[in-house]
């Protein structure tokens, strides 16, 4: 952990290189969402929305799978993984993540 301007930084990449990773400040983005500042959350880091969705849906999905004795989350994961391996999906996604990373750097995170 390190602090900079009274902000806790747990990102290993940021701590070693002093350059934010693409997902840096996702936690602050989620906190903004929880406080009702949805535009602010988007401005802080759009990846926070993806992280928040996964954090909310995964535990519920796991519980449902356990209760129904099914593996739908695992099956979904395999399908999503296969989908993202396609170059026509992976390349645009990587470009978006790269733009987000550049945006994080220019914001001076």
């Amino acid at each position: 952990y390190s602090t900079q301007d009274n902000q806790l930084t747990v990102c290993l990449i940021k701590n070693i290189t002093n350059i934010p990773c693409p997902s840096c400040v996702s936690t602050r983005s989620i906190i903004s969402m929880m406080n009702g500042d949805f535009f602010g959350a988007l401005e802080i880091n759009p990846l926070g929305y993806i992280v928040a969705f996964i954090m909310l849906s995964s535990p519920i999905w796991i519980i449902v799978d356990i209760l129904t004795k099914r593996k739908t989350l695992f099956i979904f994961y395999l399908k999503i993984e296969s989908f993202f391996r396609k170059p026509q999906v992976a390349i645009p996604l990587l470009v978006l993540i790269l733009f987000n990373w550049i945006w994080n750097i220019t914001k001076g995170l």
Side-chain angles (χ1 to χ4, degrees):
Y1 296 99
S2 70
T3 58
Q4 179 180 359
D5 300 323
N6 294 329
Q7 295 173 355
L8 188 62
T9 303
V10 295
C11 179
L12 184 62
I13 294 171
K14 171 89 172 174
N15 287 334
I16 292 173
T17 65
N18 205 30
I19 298 171
C21 74
S23 66
C24 268
V25 300
S26 291
T27 303
R28 275 194 271 158
S29 177
I30 293 169
I31 291 169
S32 289
M33 279 184 257
M34 290 171 39
N35 290 325
D37 185 9
F38 300 106
F39 180 74
L42 187 64
E43 188 175 30
I44 291 171
N45 193 341
L47 292 179
Y49 277 92
I50 296 169
V51 173
F53 176 76
I54 292 169
M55 287 174 61
L56 289 171
S57 63
S58 294
I60 295 166
W61 201 337
I62 290 168
I63 290 168
V64 169
D65 270 0
I66 289 170
L67 293 174
T68 60
K69 297 180 181 171
R70 295 169 42 196
K71 297 181 181 179
T72 60
L73 178 60
F74 181 67
I75 293 166
F76 177 75
Y77 167 78
L78 293 176
K79 288 180 182 180
I80 289 294
E81 183 183 30
S82 175
F83 176 73
F84 284 130
R85 286 182 181 257
K86 297 176 184 174
Q88 64 268 29
V89 175
I91 293 170
L93 183 63
L94 289 173
V95 168
L96 285 172
I97 291 171
L98 179 64
F99 279 132
N100 189 60
W101 192 10
I102 292 168
W103 188 36
N104 282 348
I105 293 168
T106 59
K107 288 189 295 185
L109 301 176

